[in-house]
Amino acid sequence: MKPVYYNNVEYQEILKKVKELIKKVEDLESVEFKELSTELIQYFEIMHREPLSRLIKVVESSHPELIDTFQQDFTIKTLIDLYDFNNSEIKRETTS
């Protein structure tokens, strides 16, 4: 299967849609559904955070110059920021 690539504008629209969907879930009256949705989101976050952290550690130890390149790409920077791996935290995390 051919990978899908989005330009920055399209990616911003995806981010906007995700925020809208999260807001809709938060506004629902069903407590059970809200709890289930929150738990699902939390597990997706964990599922992505761990490999992202490992990828960043590998890059930082093998090719630290790429971290600056990551910060210059909107979608990559958005992901790094979403998981609170800004440049200083990446370096601190990898030296621990």
Side-chain angles (χ1 to χ4, degrees):
M1 176 168 24
K2 185 177 177 180
V4 177
Y5 295 100
Y6 300 96
N7 65 39
N8 289 346
V9 172
E10 293 167 327
Y11 190 75
Q12 286 174 328
E13 288 298 314
I14 292 168
L15 293 173
K16 181 180 175 184
K17 183 65 177 178
V18 168
K19 287 178 182 179
E20 289 172 6
L21 291 170
I22 290 172
K23 177 75 172 120
K24 282 184 180 180
V25 168
E26 291 172 345
D27 291 343
L28 291 173
E29 292 187 19
S30 169
V31 173
E32 182 181 352
F33 185 79
K34 284 169 69 168
E35 289 174 354
L36 179 62
S37 300
T38 299
E39 185 176 9
L40 178 63
I41 291 168
Q42 288 171 342
Y43 274 92
F44 270 115
E45 191 268 346
I46 292 167
M47 185 177 70
H48 291 101
R49 178 182 292 280
E50 185 61 27
L52 178 59
S53 173
R54 292 177 188 203
L55 282 167
I56 289 171
K57 286 178 182 179
V58 168
V59 169
E60 185 66 29
S61 65
S62 303
H63 301 284
E65 72 282 359
L66 288 178
I67 296 298
D68 289 334
T69 303
F70 289 171
Q71 294 292 333
Q72 295 171 18
D73 181 282
F74 176 77
T75 59
I76 297 172
K77 183 176 180 345
T78 300
L79 182 66
I80 289 171
D81 291 346
L82 180 65
Y83 288 95
D84 299 323
F85 290 119
N86 67 38
N87 207 9
S88 62
E89 289 175 347
I90 293 169
K91 290 179 180 177
R92 184 171 46 252
E93 176 84 14
T94 58
T95 57
S96 301

